[in-house]
């Protein structure tokens, strides 16, 4: 089943139907996101086996995975991707539900960890890299530095 990005903001959900997708404001981008917070050529998303890789292409406002700004990062089902002001959740399910955990204790109610702490989820036998957080409600992001208000390239 194809992976898709479920929109958590007002933007459209995105079906990942190609091995590589270019995100940005420019007309030649595969995924056009019309916002001043998105650069003309913002980032690229590639499918690799059972995960996705996102790479920032030198954008002004960056790319965030589970709330952390990254130049490059792996995305697994349930992870959150932010491009400019657009937020998405990585999903395998066409309805947009994250995958069921494979072990009973992987997402217990008492396991609320900050996004910067290490942890793993037992989804689909693959473990997330340290620094990832389990899927759940997105926490508010603190106001950013002055570069976010600047005009992207």
């Amino acid at each position: 089943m194809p992976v898709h990005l479920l929109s958590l903001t007002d933007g459209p959900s995105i079906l990942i139907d190609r091995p590589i997708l270019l995100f940005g404001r420019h007309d030649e981008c595969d995924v056009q996101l019309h916002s001043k917070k998105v650069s003309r050529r913002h980032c690229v998303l590639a499918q690799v086996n059972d995960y996705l890789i996102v790479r920032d292409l030198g954008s002004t406002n960056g790319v965030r995975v589970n709330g952390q700004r990254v130049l490059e990062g792996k995305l697994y089902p349930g992870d959150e991707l932010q491009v400019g002001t657009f937020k998405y959740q990585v999903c395998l399910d066409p309805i947009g539900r994250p995958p069921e955990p494979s072990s009973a204790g992987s997402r217990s109610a008492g396991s609320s960890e900050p996004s910067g702490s290490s942890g793993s989820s037992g989804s689909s036998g693959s473990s997330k890299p340290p620094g990832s957080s389990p899927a759940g409600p997105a926490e508010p992001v603190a106001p950013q530095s002055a570069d976010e208000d600047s005009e992207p390239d």
Side-chain angles (χ1 to χ4, degrees):
M1 181 179 298
V3 177
H4 73 277
L5 299 178
L6 177 67
S7 178
L8 301 176
T9 55
D10 3 338
S13 293
I14 300 165
L15 178 65
I16 310 299
D17 58 352
R18 297 182 194 171
I20 298 174
L21 290 174
L22 176 63
F23 286 65
R25 286 192 337 248
H26 198 275
D27 291 339
E28 70 185 26
C29 292
D30 301 309
V31 178
Q32 294 178 19
L33 300 173
H34 301 287
S35 167
K36 289 185 177 183
K37 298 288 185 178
V38 176
S39 296
R40 286 184 290 250
R41 289 175 187 83
H42 199 96
C43 65
V44 65
L45 189 73
Q47 278 188 298
V48 180
N49 300 325
D50 61 340
Y51 60 91
L52 300 171
I53 291 183
V54 63
R55 179 176 293 159
D56 190 333
L57 298 175
S59 66
T60 301
N61 294 311
V63 172
R64 293 181 181 273
V65 174
N66 295 323
Q68 287 192 313
R69 188 166 178 166
V70 297
L71 295 177
E72 184 174 288
K74 288 184 180 181
L75 292 164
Y76 296 92
D79 283 347
E80 183 180 293
L81 170 67
Q82 182 175 345
V83 178
T85 57
F86 297 93
K87 289 185 180 182
Y88 300 95
Q89 184 175 36
V90 178
C91 295
L92 293 175
D93 187 309
I95 298 174
R97 297 175 297 205
E100 292 294 320
S102 61
S103 63
S106 66
R107 288 193 185 160
S108 64
S111 66
S112 60
E113 301 176 19
S115 63
S117 68
S118 65
S120 64
S121 73
S123 62
S124 306
S126 64
S127 63
K128 289 187 183 182
S132 296
S133 64
E139 294 183 20
V141 177
Q144 302 303 313
S145 62
D147 71 329
E148 292 223 352
D149 293 327
S150 64
E151 181 68 20
D153 53 47

